[in-house]
Amino acid sequence: RRGVAFVLACSSAFAASSEADVARLGKDLTPLGAERAGNADGSIPAWTGGVTQAPAGYKVGDHHPDPFGGDQPLYTITPQNAATHQARLTAGQRALRQTYPGYSIPVYPTRRSAAAPQRIYDATARVATTARVANGGANVEGALVGIPFPIPSSGIEVIRNHQHRYRGEAANRHIGQAAPQRNGSYSLVEFRDGFMFNYTRPPVSAEELDNVLLYFKPAVVAPARLAGTILLVHETLDQVRETRRAWVYNAGQRRVRRAPNVAYDAPGTAADGMRTSDQFDMFNGATDRYDWELVGKREMIVPYNSYRLHAKDVKHADILKPLHINQSLTRYELHRVWVVEAKLKAGASHIYPRRTFYVDEDSWQILAVDQYDSRGELWRVSEARCIQYYDAGLFWSTLEVHTDLQAGRYLAIGLDNEFEMFDFTLKRSPSDYVPESLRREGIR
């Protein structure tokens, strides 16, 4: 097995996986590169294909019923037993438990639910011997549709797998975002998001990509004072060679303007200063300001199969509580994750000089991030509460929670319980994501 300790150097490209390594995909490794077998004591089971069938009675358009609804917690981590489990908690989880005495972590049986369509598995095997990190880590060459580095040998390869992972072909979402005050009061910001995942849409050629990984168009629909603002992003593959293309429609001015600052540590949209632009989707955008070290793979207690936070019978107010979300609605499991340390390069700037990422081996979804301030103190803790969207064959977050330990507040993104369910069936093309469309879609 190739070594896992690696710090990104400034070479022009990194070698692709060998044919011998790639031959393991679908055998002792899953089609996306995870270890198929369980762990030694059986607390992590073998991967048997993930959840590909909906529970009885489900129909497209429903909020997704929990296929593991009968599970009960194996144990709950509390102040009384925390020492027993410290080694399997992230630094952020330990800090949350210490900061908030009532903070509990319910741990359920591990269910390796992540799955993707066969065409993604086939493409992964196809590109694994040709994919290369290029331009000092800023770009991926020789890859299309599949996970580029199913057998990673560097931190940047793991992060790129997250950015290139399968999230469907196109999606529309109606979601809420809230940043509660310490007393629990909040104002809900509503978005209607549109995505087209250019890298994984069929059929697409390297020429048709036009250096665009995905298209993203979030529109604010509430509250009234913010409604009508629309952002359009063309997420470029190589953001050093060509920075992210972004435009914003301002409803008050009825004008479309370029938005060059929607990147790095610029404030997130309507987030009350509680996250940076590159924290959305746990990490997005250019990778050039950090050195990325692959620490290795560890067994960690992480949020997983968070169907209760996605349920139709749960209200947003049931989730949004003072200081942190309602932990009784959460679910954690023991999974193997890749651990990546990102440290700011000399001369580069970012409000987070250091970040630690915990990346799911089965899906390449970042599940948790610890973010540190300039003093080296843990500042913000991020967790992605994910589910397998079995109707669309993809594993993705249903709720992101970014907690500011120093402010005693948090930001929740993706609240969907009281809205219609995501639409993964629509057909989109790049022509649906042009700047001229923003003015037509302005609603105020």
Side-chain angles (χ1 to χ4, degrees):
R1 182 182 293 265
R2 303 166 70 186
V4 296
F6 185 95
V7 177
L8 179 63
C10 295
S11 59
S12 59
F14 299 90
S17 297
S18 70
E19 291 188 6
D21 280 341
V22 174
R24 298 170 58 200
L25 297 176
K27 296 177 183 175
D28 67 304
L29 301 179
T30 73
L32 297 187
E35 296 175 50
R36 182 184 289 272
N39 63 355
D41 66 7
S43 54
I44 297 175
W47 183 82
T48 57
V51 176
T52 58
Q53 298 293 324
Y58 168 80
K59 62 182 184 300
V60 174
D62 290 347
H63 283 66
H64 299 77
D66 186 353
F68 313 117
D71 287 354
Q72 297 298 315
L74 298 173
Y75 54 90
T76 298
I77 300 175
T78 64
Q80 289 71 37
N81 65 5
T84 305
H85 306 286
Q86 289 284 82
R88 286 177 163 175
L89 296 177
T90 69
Q93 290 167 342
R94 295 195 297 270
L96 286 165
R97 191 198 55 74
Q98 293 164 1
T99 303
Y100 305 119
Y103 192 91
S104 61
I105 299 176
V107 182
Y108 286 76
T110 299
R111 305 289 193 175
R112 296 179 68 178
S113 56
Q118 186 62 44
R119 71 179 188 88
I120 303 300
Y121 299 155
D122 294 343
T124 297
R126 193 164 55 243
V127 305
T129 56
T130 59
R132 297 175 183 271
V133 176
N135 194 12
N139 193 20
V140 173
E141 296 178 345
L144 196 64
V145 181
I147 296 294
F149 309 107
I151 308 172
S153 60
S154 67
I156 189 64
E157 290 179 350
V158 172
I159 296 301
R160 279 297 188 172
N161 285 349
H162 167 79
Q163 293 180 317
H164 288 68
R165 73 197 191 282
Y166 183 68
R167 285 159 284 175
E169 297 155 24
N172 275 356
R173 307 191 303 178
H174 185 180
I175 61 171
Q177 172 178 282
Q181 300 297 323
R182 288 181 63 89
N183 64 5
S185 64
Y186 64 89
S187 175
L188 193 70
V189 180
E190 293 182 37
F191 294 89
R192 287 192 179 273
D193 292 345
F195 291 88
M196 191 183 83
F197 300 102
N198 202 37
Y199 175 82
T200 53
R201 66 183 173 96
V204 63
S205 66
E207 294 75 22
E208 290 172 320
L209 279 179
D210 189 29
N211 195 35
V212 176
L213 178 69
L214 62 87
Y215 298 93
F216 176 45
K217 185 163 53 177
V220 182
V221 296
R225 61 184 172 82
L226 299 175
T229 300
I230 309 173
L231 180 67
L232 173 63
V233 173
H234 294 182
E235 184 77 344
T236 50
L237 283 160
D238 186 340
Q239 296 200 8
V240 171
R241 177 169 63 87
E242 180 186 13
T243 58
R244 160 185 290 155
R245 311 167 196 162
W247 300 262
V248 63
Y249 173 78
N250 184 291
Q253 299 175 351
R254 297 184 181 275
R255 295 185 63 181
V256 177
R257 296 176 179 269
R258 287 300 296 260
N261 296 323
V262 182
Y264 298 110
D265 55 2
T269 303
D272 203 18
M274 294 292 291
R275 71 165 176 87
T276 60
S277 289
D278 64 6
Q279 274 181 271
F280 183 75
D281 196 33
M282 304 301 279
F283 182 80
N284 71 84
T287 58
D288 60 311
R289 294 190 180 181
Y290 290 96
D291 290 320
W292 304 86
E293 177 188 356
L294 184 54
V295 177
K297 191 184 286 188
R298 294 176 58 190
E299 295 181 4
M300 304 287 291
I301 293 168
V302 287
Y304 221 92
N305 292 314
S306 301
Y307 288 93
R308 283 297 293 151
L309 290 170
H310 175 81
K312 182 73 170 177
D313 62 348
V314 172
K315 302 299 182 185
H316 297 154
D318 298 330
I319 297 171
L320 301 170
K321 299 299 181 181
L323 305 178
H324 55 77
I325 66 169
N326 184 350
Q327 285 295 105
S328 70
L329 295 173
T330 65
R331 176 176 176 134
Y332 292 78
E333 300 177 4
L334 183 67
H335 284 262
R336 288 184 292 244
V337 297
W338 292 101
V339 181
V340 177
E341 286 279 0
K343 295 181 180 177
L344 199 62
K345 291 180 178 178
S349 64
H350 199 289
I351 65 171
Y352 305 135
R354 175 188 166 201
R355 302 159 103 157
T356 306
F357 295 86
Y358 305 88
V359 187
D360 179 32
E361 70 164 345
D362 286 337
S363 65
W364 299 105
Q365 164 78 47
I366 296 172
L367 297 173
V369 190
D370 299 329
Q371 286 116 165
Y372 295 80
D373 65 17
S374 59
R375 301 167 299 173
E377 299 292 329
L378 186 59
W379 180 7
R380 289 174 174 166
V381 179
S382 301
E383 291 188 318
R385 314 306 179 113
C386 300
I387 65 172
Q388 174 70 14
Y389 291 87
Y390 33 71
D391 57 321
L394 59 98
F395 187 86
W396 198 11
S397 64
T398 183
L399 184 69
E400 288 182 18
V401 181
H402 306 278
T403 304
D404 189 320
L405 294 168
Q406 297 172 17
R409 297 179 60 200
Y410 66 93
L411 177 74
I413 310 171
L415 296 155
D416 61 19
N417 313 72
E418 300 179 35
F419 304 132
E420 68 274 18
M421 190 29 52
F422 307 163
D423 183 0
F424 293 108
T425 66
L426 73 168
K427 303 298 181 184
R428 289 289 182 265
S429 71
S431 63
D432 295 311
Y433 297 93
V434 295
E436 293 75 18
S437 69
L438 296 184
R439 188 174 292 105
R440 294 194 302 269
E441 294 178 22
I443 61 174
R444 192 176 71 178

